[in-house]
């Protein structure tokens, strides 16, 4: 069921945003070394901020576990290949196109601060909204904040590289490392 959801989202993104994605791919292919630089710096930033924030959260909540990570782990154990393809291939393309390509880029020229804030809140919120009512507010708030490092660094990578391909690749690497 989750793979079907991922696949439908992916296909709809390709249909609606195919021109945007193709232009971004052309731009990325023209500037491979710049994209690689942005990718490496974005990943370094993500892992640094994420580890720092994780350390803070561990001090405050030593037994905490992210509910979305738990759910994905359970689904991976049940249906490894479809969930792996969904999580590592389909989701990064769909999410980055929407959250960075549409929301972030749509607001960026008007207000960079607003672009970051809205894209961070929406990206983080989508990862916990399905758990409202099943977990207490503190657990959901902590889960919500755990997506800030990725969202910040993915948005930075898009702004810096000027192609959605960079945050798609970053998101793919982050998810691949997360599921392994």
């Amino acid at each position: 069921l989750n793979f079907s959801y991922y696949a439908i989202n992916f296909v709809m993104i390709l249909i609606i945003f195919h021109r945007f994605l193709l232009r971004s791919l052309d731009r990325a292919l023209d500037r491979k070394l710049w994209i690689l630089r942005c990718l490496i710096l974005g990943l370094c930033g993500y892992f640094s901020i994420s580890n720092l924030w994780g350390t803070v959260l561990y001090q405050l909540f030593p037994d905490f576990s992210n509910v979305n990570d738990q759910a994905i782990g359970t689904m991976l154990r049940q249906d490894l290949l479809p969930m792996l393809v969904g999580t590592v291939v389909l989701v990064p393309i769909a999410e980055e196109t929407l959250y960075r390509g549409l929301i972030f880029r749509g607001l960026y020229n008007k207000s960079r601060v607003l672009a970051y804030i809205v894209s961070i809140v929406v990206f983080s919120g989508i990862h916990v909204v399905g758990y409202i009512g099943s977990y207490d507010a503190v657990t959901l708030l902590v889960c919500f904040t755990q997506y800030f490092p990725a969202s910040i660094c993915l948005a930075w990578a898009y702004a810096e590289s000027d192609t959605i391909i960079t945050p798609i690749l970053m998101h793919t690497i982050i998810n691949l490392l997360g599921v392994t």
Side-chain angles (χ1 to χ4, degrees), residues 40-70:
I40 291 168
L41 289 174
L43 285 168
C44 288
Y46 163 72
F47 288 116
S48 298
I49 297 168
S50 188
N51 284 333
L52 177 63
W53 186 236
T55 300
V56 169
L57 291 178
Y58 180 75
Q59 296 300 316
L60 297 171
F61 308 98
D63 297 325
F64 178 79
S65 181
N66 185 300
V67 297
N68 190 51
D69 291 349
Q70 290 173 3

Short mmCIF file of all heavy atoms in Angstrom, two decimals, residues 40-70:
data_model
loop_
_atom_site.label_atom_id
_atom_site.label_comp_id
_atom_site.label_asym_id
_atom_site.label_seq_id
_atom_site.Cartn_x
_atom_site.Cartn_y
_atom_site.Cartn_z
N ILE A 40 28.35 17.51 -1.54
CA ILE A 40 29.25 17.16 -0.43
C ILE A 40 29.09 18.12 0.75
O ILE A 40 28.97 17.69 1.90
CB ILE A 40 30.72 17.10 -0.92
CG1 ILE A 40 30.90 15.91 -1.86
CG2 ILE A 40 31.69 17.02 0.26
CD1 ILE A 40 32.21 15.90 -2.62
N LEU A 41 29.07 19.42 0.47
CA LEU A 41 28.90 20.40 1.55
C LEU A 41 27.53 20.25 2.21
O LEU A 41 27.42 20.36 3.44
CB LEU A 41 29.08 21.82 1.02
CG LEU A 41 30.50 22.21 0.65
CD1 LEU A 41 30.52 23.59 0.00
CD2 LEU A 41 31.41 22.17 1.86
N GLY A 42 26.50 20.01 1.42
CA GLY A 42 25.17 19.81 1.98
C GLY A 42 25.09 18.59 2.88
O GLY A 42 24.51 18.64 3.97
N LEU A 43 25.71 17.50 2.45
CA LEU A 43 25.73 16.29 3.28
C LEU A 43 26.54 16.50 4.55
O LEU A 43 26.14 16.05 5.63
CB LEU A 43 26.27 15.10 2.48
CG LEU A 43 25.32 14.52 1.44
CD1 LEU A 43 26.06 13.55 0.52
CD2 LEU A 43 24.13 13.84 2.10
N CYS A 44 27.68 17.16 4.44
CA CYS A 44 28.49 17.46 5.63
C CYS A 44 27.70 18.32 6.61
O CYS A 44 27.70 18.06 7.82
CB CYS A 44 29.79 18.16 5.24
SG CYS A 44 30.98 17.08 4.42
N GLY A 45 27.03 19.33 6.09
CA GLY A 45 26.19 20.17 6.94
C GLY A 45 25.08 19.38 7.59
O GLY A 45 24.83 19.49 8.80
N TYR A 46 24.41 18.53 6.81
CA TYR A 46 23.32 17.72 7.35
C TYR A 46 23.82 16.81 8.48
O TYR A 46 23.22 16.76 9.55
CB TYR A 46 22.67 16.87 6.25
CG TYR A 46 21.84 15.75 6.82
CD1 TYR A 46 20.63 16.03 7.45
CD2 TYR A 46 22.29 14.44 6.80
CE1 TYR A 46 19.87 15.01 8.02
CE2 TYR A 46 21.55 13.42 7.37
CZ TYR A 46 20.34 13.71 7.98
OH TYR A 46 19.62 12.71 8.55
N PHE A 47 24.89 16.07 8.23
CA PHE A 47 25.37 15.14 9.24
C PHE A 47 25.87 15.88 10.49
O PHE A 47 25.67 15.41 11.61
CB PHE A 47 26.43 14.19 8.68
CG PHE A 47 25.84 13.18 7.74
CD1 PHE A 47 26.20 13.17 6.41
CD2 PHE A 47 24.91 12.25 8.18
CE1 PHE A 47 25.64 12.25 5.53
CE2 PHE A 47 24.34 11.33 7.33
CZ PHE A 47 24.71 11.32 5.99
N SER A 48 26.50 17.02 10.31
CA SER A 48 26.97 17.80 11.46
C SER A 48 25.80 18.32 12.30
O SER A 48 25.77 18.13 13.52
CB SER A 48 27.81 18.99 10.99
OG SER A 48 28.95 18.54 10.31
N ILE A 49 24.85 18.97 11.65
CA ILE A 49 23.71 19.52 12.38
C ILE A 49 22.86 18.41 12.98
O ILE A 49 22.42 18.50 14.13
CB ILE A 49 22.85 20.42 11.45
CG1 ILE A 49 23.66 21.61 10.97
CG2 ILE A 49 21.59 20.89 12.17
CD1 ILE A 49 23.00 22.38 9.83
N SER A 50 22.66 17.36 12.22
CA SER A 50 21.84 16.24 12.69
C SER A 50 22.46 15.56 13.91
O SER A 50 21.76 15.24 14.88
CB SER A 50 21.64 15.24 11.56
OG SER A 50 20.71 14.25 11.92
N ASN A 51 23.75 15.36 13.86
CA ASN A 51 24.43 14.74 15.01
C ASN A 51 24.40 15.65 16.24
O ASN A 51 24.19 15.18 17.36
CB ASN A 51 25.87 14.36 14.66
CG ASN A 51 25.94 13.13 13.79
OD1 ASN A 51 25.06 12.27 13.83
ND2 ASN A 51 26.98 13.03 13.01
N LEU A 52 24.61 16.93 16.03
CA LEU A 52 24.54 17.88 17.14
C LEU A 52 23.14 17.89 17.74
O LEU A 52 22.98 17.79 18.96
CB LEU A 52 24.94 19.28 16.66
CG LEU A 52 24.85 20.39 17.70
CD1 LEU A 52 25.81 20.14 18.84
CD2 LEU A 52 25.13 21.74 17.04
N TRP A 53 22.13 18.01 16.90
CA TRP A 53 20.74 18.04 17.39
C TRP A 53 20.37 16.70 18.04
O TRP A 53 19.70 16.66 19.06
CB TRP A 53 19.78 18.40 16.27
CG TRP A 53 18.37 18.60 16.75
CD1 TRP A 53 17.26 17.96 16.31
CD2 TRP A 53 17.92 19.49 17.78
NE1 TRP A 53 16.15 18.40 17.00
CE2 TRP A 53 16.54 19.34 17.91
CE3 TRP A 53 18.58 20.41 18.60
CZ2 TRP A 53 15.78 20.07 18.82
CZ3 TRP A 53 17.83 21.13 19.52
CH2 TRP A 53 16.45 20.96 19.62
N GLY A 54 20.84 15.61 17.47
CA GLY A 54 20.59 14.29 18.05
C GLY A 54 21.20 14.16 19.44
O GLY A 54 20.60 13.57 20.35
N THR A 55 22.38 14.72 19.63
CA THR A 55 23.03 14.70 20.94
C THR A 55 22.22 15.49 21.95
O THR A 55 22.01 15.04 23.09
CB THR A 55 24.47 15.27 20.83
OG1 THR A 55 25.20 14.47 19.91
CG2 THR A 55 25.16 15.27 22.18
N VAL A 56 21.74 16.66 21.56
CA VAL A 56 20.90 17.47 22.43
C VAL A 56 19.63 16.71 22.80
O VAL A 56 19.24 16.64 23.97
CB VAL A 56 20.56 18.84 21.77
CG1 VAL A 56 19.48 19.57 22.57
CG2 VAL A 56 21.81 19.69 21.63
N LEU A 57 18.98 16.14 21.80
CA LEU A 57 17.74 15.41 22.06
C LEU A 57 17.97 14.20 22.96
O LEU A 57 17.15 13.89 23.82
CB LEU A 57 17.08 14.98 20.75
CG LEU A 57 16.50 16.10 19.90
CD1 LEU A 57 15.91 15.54 18.62
CD2 LEU A 57 15.45 16.88 20.68
N TYR A 58 19.09 13.51 22.75
CA TYR A 58 19.40 12.35 23.58
C TYR A 58 19.58 12.77 25.05
O TYR A 58 19.19 12.03 25.96
CB TYR A 58 20.64 11.63 23.07
CG TYR A 58 20.99 10.43 23.91
CD1 TYR A 58 20.24 9.26 23.82
CD2 TYR A 58 22.05 10.47 24.81
CE1 TYR A 58 20.53 8.15 24.61
CE2 TYR A 58 22.36 9.38 25.59
CZ TYR A 58 21.60 8.22 25.49
OH TYR A 58 21.90 7.14 26.28
N GLN A 59 20.19 13.92 25.27
CA GLN A 59 20.36 14.41 26.64
C GLN A 59 19.01 14.73 27.28
O GLN A 59 18.80 14.49 28.47
CB GLN A 59 21.26 15.65 26.67
CG GLN A 59 22.68 15.40 26.23
CD GLN A 59 23.39 14.37 27.10
OE1 GLN A 59 23.30 14.42 28.31
NE2 GLN A 59 24.08 13.44 26.46
N LEU A 60 18.10 15.29 26.49
CA LEU A 60 16.78 15.66 27.00
C LEU A 60 15.82 14.48 27.09
O LEU A 60 15.00 14.40 28.01
CB LEU A 60 16.16 16.75 26.11
CG LEU A 60 16.90 18.08 26.06
CD1 LEU A 60 16.30 18.97 24.98
CD2 LEU A 60 16.85 18.77 27.42
N PHE A 61 15.90 13.57 26.11
CA PHE A 61 14.98 12.43 26.02
C PHE A 61 15.79 11.15 25.72
O PHE A 61 15.83 10.69 24.58
CB PHE A 61 13.96 12.65 24.90
CG PHE A 61 13.24 13.97 24.99
CD1 PHE A 61 13.65 15.05 24.21
CD2 PHE A 61 12.15 14.13 25.83
CE1 PHE A 61 12.99 16.26 24.27
CE2 PHE A 61 11.48 15.34 25.90
CZ PHE A 61 11.90 16.42 25.12
N PRO A 62 16.42 10.56 26.73
CA PRO A 62 17.34 9.44 26.48
C PRO A 62 16.70 8.20 25.85
O PRO A 62 17.36 7.46 25.14
CB PRO A 62 17.90 9.10 27.87
CG PRO A 62 17.30 10.04 28.82
CD PRO A 62 16.38 10.96 28.11
N ASP A 63 15.41 8.00 26.04
CA ASP A 63 14.75 6.81 25.50
C ASP A 63 13.95 7.11 24.23
O ASP A 63 13.17 6.28 23.78
CB ASP A 63 13.82 6.20 26.56
CG ASP A 63 14.60 5.72 27.78
OD1 ASP A 63 15.73 5.24 27.60
OD2 ASP A 63 14.07 5.85 28.90
N PHE A 64 14.13 8.28 23.67
CA PHE A 64 13.32 8.71 22.53
C PHE A 64 13.66 7.92 21.28
O PHE A 64 14.80 7.57 21.02
CB PHE A 64 13.53 10.20 22.25
CG PHE A 64 12.75 10.68 21.07
CD1 PHE A 64 11.41 10.94 21.19
CD2 PHE A 64 13.36 10.81 19.84
CE1 PHE A 64 10.67 11.36 20.10
CE2 PHE A 64 12.64 11.23 18.74
CZ PHE A 64 11.29 11.51 18.86
N SER A 65 12.61 7.66 20.48
CA SER A 65 12.76 7.03 19.18
C SER A 65 11.77 7.68 18.22
O SER A 65 10.59 7.83 18.55
CB SER A 65 12.50 5.53 19.29
OG SER A 65 12.67 4.92 18.04
N ASN A 66 12.22 8.06 17.05
CA ASN A 66 11.37 8.73 16.07
C ASN A 66 10.31 7.76 15.56
O ASN A 66 10.63 6.69 15.03
CB ASN A 66 12.23 9.26 14.92
CG ASN A 66 11.45 10.08 13.94
OD1 ASN A 66 10.50 9.60 13.32
ND2 ASN A 66 11.85 11.32 13.77
N VAL A 67 9.04 8.14 15.69
CA VAL A 67 7.93 7.26 15.32
C VAL A 67 7.89 6.99 13.82
O VAL A 67 7.52 5.89 13.40
CB VAL A 67 6.58 7.80 15.84
CG1 VAL A 67 6.58 7.87 17.35
CG2 VAL A 67 6.24 9.16 15.25
N ASN A 68 8.25 7.96 13.01
CA ASN A 68 8.27 7.75 11.57
C ASN A 68 9.38 6.77 11.19
O ASN A 68 9.18 5.90 10.34
CB ASN A 68 8.44 9.07 10.83
CG ASN A 68 8.21 8.93 9.34
OD1 ASN A 68 7.20 8.40 8.89
ND2 ASN A 68 9.16 9.41 8.56
N ASP A 69 10.53 6.90 11.81
CA ASP A 69 11.63 5.96 11.56
C ASP A 69 11.23 4.54 11.96
O ASP A 69 11.55 3.58 11.26
CB ASP A 69 12.89 6.37 12.32
CG ASP A 69 13.52 7.64 11.77
OD1 ASP A 69 13.11 8.09 10.68
OD2 ASP A 69 14.42 8.18 12.45
N GLN A 70 10.52 4.41 13.07
CA GLN A 70 10.04 3.10 13.51
C GLN A 70 9.08 2.50 12.48
O GLN A 70 9.19 1.31 12.14
CB GLN A 70 9.31 3.21 14.85
CG GLN A 70 10.19 3.52 16.03
CD GLN A 70 9.35 3.77 17.29
OE1 GLN A 70 8.13 3.67 17.29
NE2 GLN A 70 10.03 4.11 18.36
#
